[in-house]
Amino acid sequence: MAAEITIHLVKTFPGRPPIRARIRYPVEGATVLILFGPSGSGKTTILRSVAGLEWPEEGTIRFVSRVWLETASGIRVPPQERHVGYMSQDYALFPTYTVTGNIAYGLSHLPSAERKKRVDEVMELFQLRGLEQAKPRELSGGQQQRVALARAVAPRPLLLLLDEPLSALDAPTRLHLRDELRVLLKQLALPSIIVTHDWAEALTLGDVMAVIRAGEVLQVGAPIDVFSRPQNADVARVVGVETVVKGRVVEATGGMLRVSVDGTALLALEAESIGPDVFACIRAEDVVLEQGRASVSSARNHLTGTVQSVTMLGALARVTLDCGFPLVAMVTRSTVEEFKLAPGLVITAAIKAGAVHLVSRQEA
Ligand SMILES: Nc1ncnc2c1ncn2[C@@H]1O[C@H](COP(=O)(O)OP(=O)(O)OP(=O)(O)O)[C@@H](O)[C@H]1O
């Protein structure tokens, strides 16, 4: 039987609806679980419960063969015996400690020579050389993030728990460190659970993703499947991007990238540090349907597609198209009536280049 992580819990804060998580997934060397959802949905509470920093009133938390929580039989393993690395959203570095002091914090059980060796190793790994004596306030946001990660990883935890690891950073640093973090997690061969509400982070970093809303786990699956095939309208609303397809950048011209998706060309705005292998992501509301060839919009992409399905959702309708790849559009009820949208109809989908978001993808 494959090694698994099980997180089943109920946690209630006074005056709030209970947080109920049911997540179970296979774990290998560096499997990353993403907890994805809007603010206040319960992601941090689930992460803190796995760390042992929050005590659910009911539940089971198992990591491979270890049981950390089983309320039915009274098992409650304290945080220090779980051997997890935890990084909170604000990094929580000790302000009066130096960089090495912060990193050495969880290594007090080691003899001093070994402790020094391990600190040196992680300083090297996280490219912190030269900053040994610096205090947290003297570091940039990116450096603080590295020190916090180094501190979490130094004691060789079994599992790494990261709460919004990139949210405190400015956009360019965030983009750069997102790619670095992915490489690093694979290099460490350390399973991790990462909280985020950023879909690009979920796609780049995650192997498995749990979508959480109002304390309920709505769907668990591979990120690309969850984004492109949300189980229901609630999940679609939370993830907000319904077309996620694998593509390859084939040309860069005049500030645009031409991306081939199963042979169909898509134009996207040029983006920094994008490799040739990408996910092309399109929000359903950014797809405009047009009839005939005369285009009124200034969109750079005009794709011919065949309607596969039309689902009415109140005043709006979700339309799935086959454009050589599956594309989802969200249109008004009046568009459905005006264009007589129905399965089999051939129609044009217009998408602005700026609405085609590219996210780097590691080719397996
Ligand atoms: N210690 C606490 N006491 C009371 N209520 C709490 C406590 N911790 C969390 N909550 C409540 O539980 C709910 C879930 O909070 P949680 O921090 O887990 O959400 P989140 O999805 O991580 O949000 P964010 O992305 O904003 O951090 C919220 O309604 C929050 O106000």
Side-chain angles (χ1 to χ4, degrees):
M1 199 182 75
E4 282 187 340
I5 294 185
T6 303
I7 306 168
H8 290 175
L9 60 88
V10 180
K11 170 76 189 171
T12 314
F13 291 110
R16 314 242 175 216
I19 293 164
R20 297 171 191 278
R22 286 191 80 77
I23 306 168
R24 190 170 148 195
Y25 64 101
V27 65
E28 289 172 18
T31 305
V32 177
L33 168 70
I34 298 288
L35 300 178
F36 185 92
S39 185
S41 55
K43 307 178 299 290
T44 298
T45 303
I46 297 170
L47 196 75
R48 285 173 54 81
S49 301
V50 176
L53 301 171
E54 208 72 76
W55 293 106
E57 53 269 20
E58 254 176 64
T60 301
I61 298 177
R62 276 198 215 106
F63 175 78
V64 191
S65 58
R66 293 162 198 253
V67 181
W68 287 339
L69 178 79
E70 196 169 77
T71 48
S73 50
I75 299 174
R76 283 167 184 269
V77 175
Q80 62 278 16
E81 288 173 26
R82 296 189 186 192
H83 306 291
V84 300
Y86 180 80
M87 185 175 124
S88 64
Q89 212 167 335
D90 60 1
Y91 308 150
L93 294 172
F94 303 117
T96 57
Y97 285 28
T98 61
V99 166
T100 50
N102 267 283
I103 296 174
Y105 182 77
L107 303 174
S108 54
H109 58 288
L110 295 179
S112 120
E114 267 182 64
R115 187 162 65 233
K116 185 174 175 319
K117 183 163 168 275
R118 182 63 182 149
V119 171
D120 281 351
E121 272 170 16
V122 292
M123 290 289 293
E124 180 72 39
L125 180 64
F126 287 86
Q127 298 163 27
L128 291 166
R129 289 247 173 267
L131 295 171
E132 286 79 356
Q133 297 311 313
K135 299 278 176 63
R137 66 170 182 281
E138 296 161 352
L139 304 174
S140 70
Q143 288 167 335
Q144 288 182 24
Q145 188 253 16
R146 284 204 188 91
V147 176
L149 260 180
R151 183 179 62 178
V153 159
R156 301 186 196 280
L158 297 170
L159 176 66
L160 188 61
L161 305 172
L162 308 177
D163 194 351
E164 301 263 9
L166 305 172
S167 66
L169 304 169
D170 57 76
T173 314
R174 188 176 179 144
L175 206 63
H176 172 66
L177 288 186
R178 188 178 76 198
D179 291 337
E180 239 179 48
L181 183 59
R182 185 188 53 205
V183 172
L184 198 89
L185 289 173
K186 298 292 170 204
Q187 200 179 339
L188 291 168
L190 173 61
S192 55
I193 303 181
I194 301 180
V195 165
T196 186
H197 58 255
D198 179 316
W199 57 267
E201 270 168 42
L203 267 174
T204 318
L205 299 171
D207 298 303
V208 190
M209 164 173 167
V211 178
I212 300 156
R213 195 199 56 178
E216 302 281 343
V217 177
L218 301 179
Q219 186 171 351
V220 180
I224 184 168
D225 292 340
V226 176
F227 281 108
S228 54
R229 289 194 290 282
Q231 234 160 46
N232 53 44
D234 285 343
V235 178
R237 229 166 274 133
V238 174
V239 299
V241 200
E242 287 199 54
T243 298
V244 180
V245 284
K246 290 183 182 177
R248 204 174 155 81
V249 177
V250 288
E251 195 186 358
T253 44
M256 297 273 175
L257 295 178
R258 184 182 298 279
V259 179
S260 168
V261 178
D262 288 340
T264 301
L266 269 180
L267 282 176
L269 294 185
E270 200 151 18
E272 255 181 75
S273 69
I274 284 281
D277 295 308
V278 292
F279 289 114
C281 311
I282 304 166
R283 289 176 183 274
E285 60 268 29
D286 289 337
V287 179
V288 177
L289 299 186
E290 298 172 342
Q291 225 156 18
R293 291 201 50 83
S295 171
V296 282
S297 77
S298 60
R300 300 300 298 258
N301 294 290
H302 290 94
L303 309 175
T304 303
T306 308
V307 175
Q308 303 292 297
S309 68
V310 180
T311 312
M312 297 310 300
L313 302 164
L316 295 175
R318 181 177 185 274
V319 182
T320 59
L321 301 164
D322 179 358
C323 298
F325 62 86
L327 179 71
V328 182
M330 197 63 87
V331 299
T332 59
R333 180 180 277 273
S334 61
T335 305
V336 175
E337 288 161 4
E338 186 189 337
F339 293 170
K340 299 191 174 53
L341 291 179
L345 183 77
V346 176
I347 196 147
T348 302
I351 310 158
K352 291 189 170 161
V356 178
H357 304 277
L358 301 181
V359 176
S360 291
R361 162 174 76 85
Q362 279 304 68
E363 212 18 25

